[in-house]
Amino acid sequence: YDPAQAEQIPSQYHRDDFSADTAVGRVARSDGICVKTYYQPAWPGRQAWPLPNQVQLQSISDAARRKGLPLMLHATSLEAYQMGRAINADIFAHGLWKQERPFGPVDLHAGKALMRELARADKVVIPTLRVLQSEMSPEREILQDERVSLAMPPEILEYWRTAQESGPGNQVFDPEEIDMIATMAHNAA
């Protein structure tokens, strides 16, 4: 529950039903194996979405610890990884691709230092290079892989395929972003 969004939340949804303890309790009761949350500011030029603050994320982390569940953080930027370190996330999902200020490739010295720190603290980092490869592939062959239809609702898959076929402007990343990501991937190799 985000009090800053209270005006936009329909009245039938009650604050207590969406507290960190309640949400994590639902995960534990359903035999979930971890709690996943996110910290990902919008990319420049994209519509911003609500972003949890450190207090909210810490309450999720604390609730997960009380239930004995590891906390996974969706993070793709230096700032997100630093937030994960601050709230004691156990698992960092997605690679360290960018930094927010200034926006662009991650400062390699800062990124390497942070990765060493996370490794010493026995944290898990799960890079998802396939996402980048798919974005950089003109055919986006991942959408043709039959296994995708086992994991994605047909409506979403059709939307992705339609966006791909519609040409420039409908891709998840625009050409400049793809070039920037390719450069970051090349520099990191």
Side-chain angles (χ1 to χ4, degrees), residues 143 152-166:
L143 298 179
M152 285 290 133
E155 298 82 13
I156 292 176
L157 192 53
E158 183 58 31
Y159 169 79
W160 286 341
R161 287 179 177 145
T162 302
Q164 172 193 348
E165 293 163 5
S166 297

Side-chain angles (χ1 to χ4, degrees), residues 43-47 131-141 143 159-179 181:
W43 289 47
R46 299 285 171 99
Q47 180 179 356
V131 173
L132 292 178
Q133 184 180 358
S134 295
E135 289 299 337
M136 291 183 276
S137 168
E139 306 82 37
R140 293 203 187 181
E141 71 278 355
L143 298 179
Y159 169 79
W160 286 341
R161 287 179 177 145
T162 302
Q164 172 193 348
E165 293 163 5
S166 297
N170 290 323
Q171 293 94 350
V172 177
F173 293 111
D174 66 34
E176 285 182 24
E177 291 170 326
I178 292 171
D179 288 343
I181 290 168

Side-chain angles (χ1 to χ4, degrees), residues 19-29 32-37 55-73 87-91 123:
S19 70
D21 282 317
T22 303
V24 170
R26 283 193 296 269
V27 172
R29 284 190 305 281
I33 60 170
C34 72
V35 172
K36 184 175 180 183
T37 190
V55 171
Q56 292 164 325
L57 290 169
Q58 188 64 60
S59 69
I60 295 167
S61 179
D62 293 345
R65 297 247 179 286
R66 286 190 291 274
K67 292 292 185 182
L69 294 169
L71 178 67
M72 180 183 294
L73 183 70
I87 64 166
N88 199 24
D90 301 294
I91 305 164
K123 303 301 180 181

Side-chain angles (χ1 to χ4, degrees), residues 67-189:
K67 292 292 185 182
L69 294 169
L71 178 67
M72 180 183 294
L73 183 70
H74 172 105
T76 62
S77 69
L78 186 60
E79 289 77 2
Y81 269 66
Q82 291 166 336
M83 177 65 80
R85 178 188 56 197
I87 64 166
N88 199 24
D90 301 294
I91 305 164
F92 294 76
H94 308 303
L96 182 54
W97 302 335
K98 61 187 173 78
Q99 59 189 38
E100 304 298 334
R101 292 174 219 54
F103 183 78
V106 173
D107 174 272
L108 289 180
H109 176 72
K112 285 180 180 181
L114 182 56
M115 287 297 165
R116 284 189 201 103
E117 184 180 335
L118 294 175
R120 282 192 299 273
D122 290 324
K123 303 301 180 181
V124 175
V125 174
I126 305 171
T128 50
L129 297 177
R130 181 64 186 153
V131 173
L132 292 178
Q133 184 180 358
S134 295
E135 289 299 337
M136 291 183 276
S137 168
E139 306 82 37
R140 293 203 187 181
E141 71 278 355
I142 187 95
L143 298 179
Q144 307 312 318
D145 188 322
E146 64 185 40
R147 294 171 294 179
V148 174
S149 65
L150 300 174
M152 285 290 133
E155 298 82 13
I156 292 176
L157 192 53
E158 183 58 31
Y159 169 79
W160 286 341
R161 287 179 177 145
T162 302
Q164 172 193 348
E165 293 163 5
S166 297
N170 290 323
Q171 293 94 350
V172 177
F173 293 111
D174 66 34
E176 285 182 24
E177 291 170 326
I178 292 171
D179 288 343
M180 182 189 71
I181 290 168
T183 301
M184 285 189 282
H186 175 75
N187 290 344

